[in-house]
Amino acid sequence: MAKIQAVKNKPKVCLVLQGGGALGAYHIGAYQAMEEAGYTPDWFAGISIGALNSAILAGNPPEKRLSKLEEFWQKISWPGTDWQIPTSFAPFFNTASAATALIAGQPSFFYPRPINPWFACPGETATSFYDTQPIFNTLEEMVDFDLINKGKTRLTVGATRVTDGELVFFDSDSDSMNPAHAVASGSLPPGFPPTQVGDDYYWDGGVVSNTPLNGILDLAGDQSLLIFVVDLWNAVGDLPKTMSEVLWREKEIQYASRNSHSVEALIAQRNLAHVATKAPDLIDSSQIPDVPALTDGTKIDIVHITFDPLPGHIPLSDAEFSRRSIRLRSEQGYHDMKQAISETPWTQHTAGLPTHFYKRQKNGSWLEDNKPLNQKKKDNVKRMPKRKKAS
């Protein structure tokens, strides 16, 4: 398995986890593959469920991160839901699971308010269908925020300020992090109420942008970065043939296309700043966006892996927290990240513009030459090893 070589100006490894509710179990396997390959992140960033997972990872010592993340997903899912069922039965099972979440909530995560918000008096109870106090308690129990605030491992989460719609990034290098920062990033309306941080109230960062990548690039300065972006919504999909597929495809496009356009704009902006710095005579520098200039030796490589829906998925898959689906999503994340790391696409560019983006090609590879994967690389991608369930 490929590992980062000891080189001058070794890049910081960043793990960027995007939002998608219950689909966030995909992050578990993706992180496991990184850990096994020696790519221990120096910096975690997340929005929505990605912020919760990032807080768990950053707020525990490296040797406990994976087991704590697995334990977290066990805590927020109902026992007895890891069934072995035929794929043909999966839509019925998943629908029942999602219905349970909507009706009863999820343990250690959220529960329904006793009074429907439409009939509640004005105030917090009238602004959401669920109470999120349980997730505050869970983060207090499972995350060492003192460890995060000591600064050895960096944590960045994004949330939307309700009063002006501004996407705000909270960062452990400048903010004293606590559970409210992560919960604010995942306070998706109208399900969850806004979360207070300081004097302001915040909703889910995904209301504005489902990727915290722009926060990473703005805060990075002149650091060389190797960024792994783990996305839960795929911009590419088949033509829907049923109403269920229509509803799911609409949701994918809504979130994934916004991410794709955001990433492309960020990379173009970053490279434009580099050109303006190195060859100012080529362009009118007054027209260049005000972004940190890239200096010699700075290189940013962004590796993008994306969750693909499992067989039998439903339009409410992002609210479907069965342990069966958590296991399958985690296994898929492990497989995808392991393949991406084994191909080391970031070694393709060693000169020219400093910021590069690598995503899965049509042939299933992250390599840009579009050649079929050789058998050796296929053999390197093995099944996710079984681990003991977290207690």
Side-chain angles (χ1 to χ4, degrees):
M1 177 61 65
K3 293 189 178 183
I4 295 178
Q5 301 299 315
V7 294
K8 186 179 179 180
N9 197 25
K10 177 182 176 181
K12 275 186 174 291
V13 177
C14 306
L15 179 58
V16 175
L17 303 178
Q18 300 186 311
L23 306 181
Y26 182 78
H27 296 154
I28 305 171
Y31 175 76
Q32 181 180 345
M34 290 181 66
E35 183 181 274
E36 290 179 0
Y39 288 85
T40 303
D42 305 290
W43 191 349
F44 294 96
I47 278 181
S48 196
I49 194 66
L52 301 180
N53 285 341
S54 291
I56 296 288
L57 291 168
N60 282 283
E63 67 275 11
K64 293 183 178 180
R65 286 174 179 167
L66 181 58
S67 61
K68 283 292 185 180
L69 187 59
E70 291 174 327
E71 180 185 347
F72 170 70
W73 280 84
Q74 291 294 299
K75 284 180 71 71
I76 66 171
S77 58
W78 294 105
T81 56
D82 189 2
W83 292 18
Q84 299 293 332
I85 58 174
T87 301
S88 59
F89 187 66
F92 304 100
F93 176 86
N94 294 339
T95 299
S97 175
T100 300
L102 295 177
I103 295 170
Q106 290 296 133
S108 302
F109 195 166
F110 61 90
Y111 60 84
R113 295 193 182 280
I115 300 176
N116 187 295
W118 288 105
F119 304 107
C121 295
E124 180 180 312
T125 58
T127 63
S128 70
F129 289 93
Y130 301 97
D131 190 313
T132 53
Q133 184 57 47
I135 192 61
F136 278 92
N137 300 337
T138 299
L139 292 179
E140 286 278 10
E141 175 189 341
M142 301 194 67
V143 179
D144 184 347
F145 285 94
D146 289 336
L147 178 65
I148 293 174
N149 292 321
K150 287 177 182 176
K152 188 173 182 180
T153 300
R154 194 169 182 176
L155 173 65
T156 304
V157 299
T160 303
R161 191 159 50 217
V162 177
T163 52
D164 63 6
E166 185 75 17
L167 179 61
V168 177
F169 286 98
F170 302 106
D171 182 66
S172 60
D173 271 14
S174 56
D175 300 293
S176 180
M177 305 296 280
N178 61 61
H181 294 99
V183 176
S185 183
S187 296
L188 183 64
F192 298 159
T195 298
Q196 184 174 8
V197 178
D199 295 329
D200 295 311
Y201 285 83
Y202 295 86
W203 275 331
D204 194 303
V207 171
V208 174
S209 173
N210 209 33
T211 175
L213 183 59
N214 52 330
I216 288 278
L217 296 182
D218 287 344
L219 294 168
D222 61 357
Q223 297 178 87
S224 293
L225 304 175
L226 175 57
I227 305 174
F228 293 90
V229 177
V230 186
D231 200 349
L232 302 177
W233 303 100
N234 199 335
V236 179
D238 297 329
L239 182 69
K241 297 178 181 178
T242 67
M243 185 53 65
S244 178
E245 292 175 359
V246 167
L247 295 174
W248 176 256
R249 187 72 196 120
E250 178 193 27
K251 193 177 289 187
E252 281 190 311
I253 293 171
Q254 178 183 354
Y255 290 108
S257 61
R258 187 165 53 188
N259 291 344
S260 178
H261 295 156
S262 175
V263 169
E264 290 173 1
L266 289 168
I267 292 171
Q269 186 183 61
R270 196 80 186 186
N271 283 331
L272 188 59
H274 175 77
V275 173
T277 303
K278 301 303 178 184
D281 294 338
L282 293 179
I283 34 181
D284 179 2
S285 60
S286 66
Q287 297 178 9
I288 304 302
D290 183 17
V291 296
L294 297 180
T295 60
D296 288 333
T298 299
K299 187 171 182 283
I300 298 178
D301 290 299
I302 303 169
V303 182
H304 180 257
I305 75 167
T306 308
F307 171 77
D308 286 319
L310 300 169
H313 72 94
I314 59 173
L316 288 173
S317 287
D318 51 334
E320 197 276 288
F321 287 86
S322 73
R323 292 184 178 179
R324 172 185 181 273
S325 293
I326 289 171
R327 170 174 52 81
L328 294 175
R329 291 165 188 154
S330 177
E331 288 175 354
Q332 185 177 334
Y334 178 86
H335 177 276
D336 291 345
M337 181 64 83
K338 190 167 185 178
Q339 179 185 333
I341 290 175
S342 72
E343 295 178 7
T344 59
W346 55 91
T347 61
Q348 293 181 95
H349 297 99
T350 57
L353 292 174
T355 305
H356 302 280
F357 182 59
Y358 308 97
K359 61 183 179 180
R360 195 200 301 263
Q361 304 297 307
K362 290 182 179 179
N363 67 342
S365 169
W366 274 262
L367 300 177
E368 294 182 352
D369 58 12
N370 286 324
K371 293 179 180 178
L373 295 174
N374 59 43
Q375 191 60 45
K376 180 178 179 180
K377 294 212 172 194
K378 286 183 178 178
D379 291 342
N380 283 338
V381 183
K382 298 178 181 178
R383 283 187 61 80
M384 178 179 177
K386 292 184 178 179
R387 295 174 50 82
K388 294 182 178 179
K389 291 186 177 179
S391 58

